[in-house]
């Protein structure tokens, strides 16, 4: 039962990066050129307001500033940097640089949470980065200094948000927590957009279709699933699911008539292998928040698995979990 629950949570959480794999295609084909901040704002704020209306719950106490910090990291800052990178870099370069995020999560988790990072996680992160490079990077790809910094900065700020999201367990349901972060992030982006890009242009039908897709599918639904999975699963496992995005982007390219080379096929295999190693496939079940440990696990012992740990599991309701959270 535990394994089935964990597998189901992983599958639902994976739907988020699977949808994000279409962001570059939608951005470059349906959105107006030269408006990365506008794209980020219209993606985040409407989705956040809709989720707030559905959840009907506002932050309380410390969660006013905590949700603000997480909204800046996971949404406002990340979206702005993501779209700057998407506009200034070829998709392969942006995806390759963004694939460093699992390594950032592992490093920040060790630094901020004091957890031990298994060697296999580091190796899987390096392999995933190499696999994405083989999958999407092209020899003729041009490099733009600002775009490179934006891509790396986006990976870093979201990795920080992922780790803090595990450290700060929200008292509200994931839908409300997601709405808070999207709203804060969107509100932050409004003045930046007006200052950096001026008044928005009149959107075309294609623009509205692109914004609508990114708002509903790529943001409201995707982030609700992403934060739900992050609450229940180890941060490292969740962050490795982001490697699915460039894989989806490649498949969309094939659907548009592009051909798959042997090097790309090798990269896809490496990415899937790194994802499997990070998830600990074949190493036994990993506990999911809210479910009991497997009966075979003796009290006080740590079962093998992909979770980044710093010590034994918690022994009672008063002791903090050794996993991120």
């Amino acid at each position: 039962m535990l394994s089935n629950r964990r597998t189901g949570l992983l599958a639902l959480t994976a739907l988020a990066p699977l949808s994000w794999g279409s962001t570059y295609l939608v951005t470059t084909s349906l959105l107006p050129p030269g408006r990365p901040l506008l794209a980020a704002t219209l993606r985040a704020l409407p989705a956040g307001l809709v989720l707030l209306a559905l959840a009907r719950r506002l932050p309380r106490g410390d969660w006013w500033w905590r949700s603000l910090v997480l909204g800046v990291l996971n949404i406002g800052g990340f979206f702005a940097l993501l779209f700057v990178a998407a506009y200034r870099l070829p998709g392969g370069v942006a995806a390759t640089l963004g694939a460093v995020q699992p390594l950032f999560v592992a490093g920040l988790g060790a630094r901020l949470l004091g957890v031990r990072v298994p060697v296999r996680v580091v190796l899987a992160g390096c392999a995933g980065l190499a696999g994405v490079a083989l999958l999407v990077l092209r020899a003729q790809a041009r490099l733009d200094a600002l775009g490179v910094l934006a891509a790396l900065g986006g990976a870093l700020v979201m990795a920080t948000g992922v780790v803090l999201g595990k450290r700060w367990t929200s008292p509200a349901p994931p839908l409300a927590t997601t709405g808070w972060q999207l709203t804060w992030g969107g509100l932050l982006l409004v003045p930046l957009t007006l200052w950096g890009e001026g008044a928005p242009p009149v959107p075309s039908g294609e623009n509205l279709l692109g914004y609508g897709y990114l708002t509903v599918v790529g943001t409201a639904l995707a982030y609700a699933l992403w934060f739900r999975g992050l609450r229940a699963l180890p941060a490292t496992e969740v962050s490795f699911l982001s490697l699915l995005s460039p894989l989806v982007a490649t498949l969309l390219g094939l659907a548009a008539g592009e051909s798959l080379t042997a090097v790309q096929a090798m990269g896809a295999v490496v990415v899937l292998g790194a994802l499997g190693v990070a998830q600990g496939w074949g190493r036994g079940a990993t506990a999911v928040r809210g479910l009991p440990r497997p009966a075979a696990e003796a009290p006080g012992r740590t079962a093998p698995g992909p979770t980044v740990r710093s010590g034994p599991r918690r022994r009672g309701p008063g002791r903090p979990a050794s996993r991120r959270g």
Side-chain angles (χ1 to χ4, degrees), residues 21-37:
S22 60
T23 299
Y24 179 77
L25 178 63
V26 173
T27 299
T28 55
S29 60
L30 295 178
L31 301 189
R35 294 281 183 165
L37 293 177

Side-chain angles (χ1 to χ4, degrees), residues 42-43 47 50 210-223:
L42 293 181
R43 179 181 176 183
V50 168
Y211 288 132
Y213 172 81
L214 290 179
T215 298
V216 176
V217 178
T219 304
L221 293 177
Y223 272 94

